[in-house]
Amino acid sequence: MSAAPPGSPDASDPRAVPLGAHGAAPTPHDPGWLAQELSEFDAERPPRLTPGRLVAGSLSGVLVIALLAWALPWATGASWTQIGGSLSSLPLWALPTMVALGVGALALESFTVRAALPGSRWSSALLGHAASSATALAIPGGSVLGLGLMGWILRRSGLALPLIFTGIVAASLVEMVITSVLIPLLGLASYALSSLMSPTGVTLPGALWAALLALLGAVLALALTAVALRRQVLAKILAQFGHSLPEHIAREILTQRDALVQMLRRRSLQLVAPTIAARALQWIALVAAIEAVGATVPLALTVAIFALGRVLALVPLTPGGAGVSEAVGAAALVSLGAGAADSAAAMLLLLVTMLLVPLLCGALAAVAALSLAPDRHPRR
């Protein structure tokens, strides 16, 4: 984490100070790289989307489509003709419900962002979060770019860079703890108990090992971040830079560290509750998708399937685990007695909430942010 010195309007001098290693998560958390990215932006210049990134995003989309086209029939044993038949027989409420739950989850997550940015407007937090999420999903390795885009949007709303840096780090830590650690732990516990709740259980040993490795990476990243946030440790890290880091920059970094720790202690409920509620809405989307195709699955096992999908999203094969999570989830539903075509249709329906809605909302948010005039009076 780094921050501009007080009164620096263009933020041209911040230095990146790493707080921890990247975790294998859908949105990697490395505040040092984040600060380096954000330091390139101001209220007049959005982050650059290079041709290489556009090509990578296009190839990523093709990969997800190809993976779904092959993996769903392979995982379930149903042909695409059968899957299409199941999709065509969905009730009228199914698709609007998935869209509404996806929008609701995004809106709730933005409340966490706003809680991490005292004095910010909810509209700016919503635009920044939606655009950031879509960028991370659409572009391989686009998490830092997405967070830079969020920083640019928040900067245009009048927030000072030190506040933006501290707020984004706080929101990212909350996301890491809930989505990359707590939910996977819940899923692994439910997975372990699945044999007691169902005669067949959920037998996915390969996915389990991948999930364990991803979870360990996230836990390691969180542990390193926690160590680096200790004031004495951070002060020693800054001292290592010697003359390469101006003294006033080092003081400001420690000041923002203190603000971050104080925020995490005093606003923990405001930071954590909205993101937990967002994950609950996404789980409800899975339950609704299963209901829409007419399948019957024990409620406790839907928690295991949802959490397993979020764990697999930590494995950086595709953005957000798209394609992998759906195939594994469909296979799990089949193992629990759901029809092959219905299982595939349910996971495709869930994909609307988890991927399509964030992508569309993010694109709209980016367009809206570009059309808004910047606030000429930054708030500190």
Side-chain angles (χ1 to χ4, degrees):
M1 176 182 61
S2 69
S8 175
D10 59 0
S12 59
D13 291 331
R15 305 293 194 269
V17 179
L19 291 184
H22 280 293
T27 53
H29 306 285
D30 189 335
W33 283 105
L34 168 61
Q36 189 173 26
E37 284 283 323
L38 286 178
S39 68
E40 299 177 3
F41 310 134
D42 57 35
E44 304 299 331
R45 183 160 58 94
R48 277 192 315 129
L49 191 58
T50 63
R53 283 169 170 165
L54 288 173
V55 170
S58 301
L59 292 177
S60 176
V62 171
L63 174 61
V64 170
I65 294 172
L67 186 58
L68 284 172
W70 169 79
L72 275 181
W74 174 80
T76 61
S79 68
W80 272 106
T81 300
Q82 294 170 319
I83 297 172
S86 183
L87 288 171
S88 65
S89 62
L90 290 174
L92 293 177
W93 58 263
L95 185 58
T97 298
M98 295 298 111
V99 172
L101 290 171
V103 171
L106 270 178
L108 284 169
E109 290 166 353
S110 69
F111 278 106
T112 289
V113 175
R114 185 170 186 265
L117 295 162
S120 64
R121 304 184 185 96
W122 181 70
S123 58
S124 299
L126 178 60
L127 289 177
H129 172 68
S132 174
S133 298
T135 303
L137 287 171
I139 300 174
S143 297
V144 174
L145 179 66
L147 292 176
L149 178 59
M150 180 193 291
W152 173 74
I153 291 173
L154 293 171
R155 178 64 170 161
R156 284 171 62 87
S157 73
L159 295 180
L161 280 171
L163 177 62
I164 292 172
F165 292 154
T166 303
I168 290 181
V169 171
S172 297
L173 288 174
V174 169
E175 174 69 19
M176 179 188 289
V177 170
I178 295 174
T179 301
S180 301
V181 178
L182 294 183
I183 287 180
L185 286 175
L186 177 63
L188 292 173
S190 300
Y191 182 98
L193 295 173
S194 64
S195 60
L196 301 178
M197 296 183 285
S198 171
T200 58
V202 181
T203 307
L204 297 167
L208 178 61
W209 282 111
L212 284 172
L213 289 174
L215 177 59
L216 287 175
V219 171
L220 178 61
L222 185 63
L224 291 174
T225 301
V227 170
L229 276 177
R230 295 178 63 87
R231 203 176 203 281
Q232 291 181 344
V233 173
L234 183 57
K236 290 180 179 179
I237 293 174
L238 295 175
Q240 295 289 329
F241 286 86
H243 297 293
S244 64
L245 186 68
E247 184 179 350
H248 66 279
I249 295 289
R251 285 199 306 268
E252 181 64 20
I253 291 173
L254 290 174
T255 298
Q256 293 306 311
R257 174 266 171 203
D258 295 341
L260 172 63
V261 172
Q262 186 179 53
M263 179 190 301
L264 293 174
R265 288 174 178 172
R266 295 187 176 181
R267 303 175 67 87
S268 56
L269 181 61
Q270 297 96 313
L271 290 167
V272 170
T275 297
I276 291 178
R279 298 298 163 263
L281 283 189
Q282 292 172 338
W283 167 70
I284 290 172
L286 172 61
V287 175
I290 294 172
E291 177 68 23
V293 299
T296 302
V297 176
L299 197 61
L301 282 176
T302 64
V303 176
I305 294 171
F306 172 76
L308 183 59
R310 294 309 89 215
V311 170
L312 292 174
L314 304 180
V315 182
L317 296 177
T318 60
V324 178
S325 298
E326 286 69 34
V328 173
L333 290 176
V334 171
S335 73
L336 293 171
D342 289 341
S343 298
M347 298 313 296
L348 287 174
L349 197 55
L350 180 63
L351 192 67
V352 173
T353 297
M354 304 301 295
L355 182 65
L356 298 184
V357 167
L359 285 176
L360 180 58
C361 289
L364 295 175
V367 171
L370 287 169
S371 65
L372 295 175
D375 191 324
R376 300 295 180 180
H377 304 285
R379 299 185 297 280
R380 297 196 44 199

